[in-house]
Amino acid sequence: MYIPRKFELTDEQIAAALRTAGMAHLITPSTDGLQITPLPMMYDPDRNALVAHMARANPHWHAAEEGSESVAIFTGLDGYISPSLYATKAEGGKVVPTWNYETINVYGTLAVHDDADWLLEHVSALSDRHEHVRERPWAVTDAPEHFIAGQLKAIVGIEIAITRWEGKAKMSQNQPERNQSSVVEGLTNSADASERELAGAVTTYTALPTA
């Protein structure tokens, strides 16, 4: 991935983002072409790996037999930036539209887990991670044991042993400070909740003082 230095994420930033990341697109080359599957994935810093599961009927997991490198692509906030948001627009009009975004690519070797105990531990951890914020968290043990056993037979576990990663956050860092400030102001005043959220990211990455 092309990453200008201004937009490059550090290893610490990537690791922190992966600890809270959710959905990724897993891409693995195979003899039938690229296999692509959207998956909720969890980062395991102790094993330096990504773990997930997919339907047993999905042909993607068979690509693991080839030992090829896979990549999991995580995307964060993104949004259109209008030239009208730039303070310098009034200084000659030499501005163009752009797009701000966050993305992380994680590369590694794909392995398959077909052990019921591994799968049960994985889906339990995945559910607990996303349920813990709810007033009444659901747990795998809430469902009948025989039902869960049947569900586990329909999936396989996926583990990506991480070999490298790269992260990019293009959030107006290449703009002069007056444009950064005007972008944040414009996005903050937007009626679109996603644009207001994007304003916070621009503030963070450009180290602008918060209001």
Side-chain angles (χ1 to χ4, degrees):
M1 178 167 59
Y2 171 61
I3 311 177
R5 186 173 296 275
K6 287 180 180 292
F7 306 144
E8 186 177 11
L9 297 181
T10 65
D11 287 342
E12 291 76 14
Q13 287 174 313
I14 293 173
L18 289 179
R19 287 187 179 94
T20 60
M23 179 72 72
H25 282 83
L26 178 65
I27 303 173
T28 304
S30 74
T31 54
D32 295 325
L34 294 177
Q35 299 287 337
I36 305 172
T37 302
L39 293 171
M41 306 192 83
M42 293 180 63
Y43 172 52
D44 186 333
D46 294 331
R47 298 209 303 266
N48 193 36
L50 296 174
V51 291
H53 65 275
M54 64 175 60
R56 186 176 295 276
N58 187 337
H60 188 148
W61 64 273
H62 293 289
E65 299 174 2
E66 302 172 16
S68 299
E69 185 178 57
S70 293
V71 58
I73 302 177
F74 296 84
T75 57
L77 296 175
D78 74 278
Y80 174 75
I81 304 299
S82 169
S84 64
L85 296 180
Y86 292 139
T88 58
K89 178 179 180 293
E91 302 171 10
K94 294 182 179 181
V95 290
V96 294
T98 190
W99 204 275
N100 280 3
Y101 59 89
E102 300 170 302
T103 188
I104 293 174
N105 297 338
V106 181
Y107 303 85
T109 303
L110 189 153
V112 174
H113 292 279
D114 200 14
D115 176 80
D117 290 337
W118 190 99
L119 287 166
L120 179 59
E121 181 180 355
H122 162 66
V123 296
S124 297
L126 183 63
S127 297
D128 291 347
R129 173 181 167 181
H130 295 289
E131 287 283 340
H132 79 277
V133 296
R134 302 180 67 85
E135 183 178 350
R136 295 183 178 180
W138 179 88
V140 170
T141 51
D142 289 347
E145 186 175 341
H146 69 277
F147 172 75
I148 294 298
Q151 295 294 302
L152 294 179
K153 290 179 181 179
I155 62 174
V156 294
I158 297 296
E159 181 170 349
I160 306 297
I162 298 172
T163 56
R164 60 191 175 98
W165 59 27
E166 56 189 1
K168 181 177 182 180
K170 179 182 175 294
M171 288 289 173
S172 303
Q173 302 98 313
N174 58 329
Q175 292 293 326
E177 186 173 336
R178 60 190 185 280
N179 278 355
Q180 294 171 356
S181 297
S182 62
V183 164
V184 168
E185 181 181 4
L187 294 175
T188 299
N189 293 328
S190 171
D192 187 328
S194 64
E195 291 194 348
R196 296 195 299 272
E197 190 175 9
L198 191 62
V202 175
T203 298
T204 298
Y205 286 112
T206 58
L208 288 172
T210 55

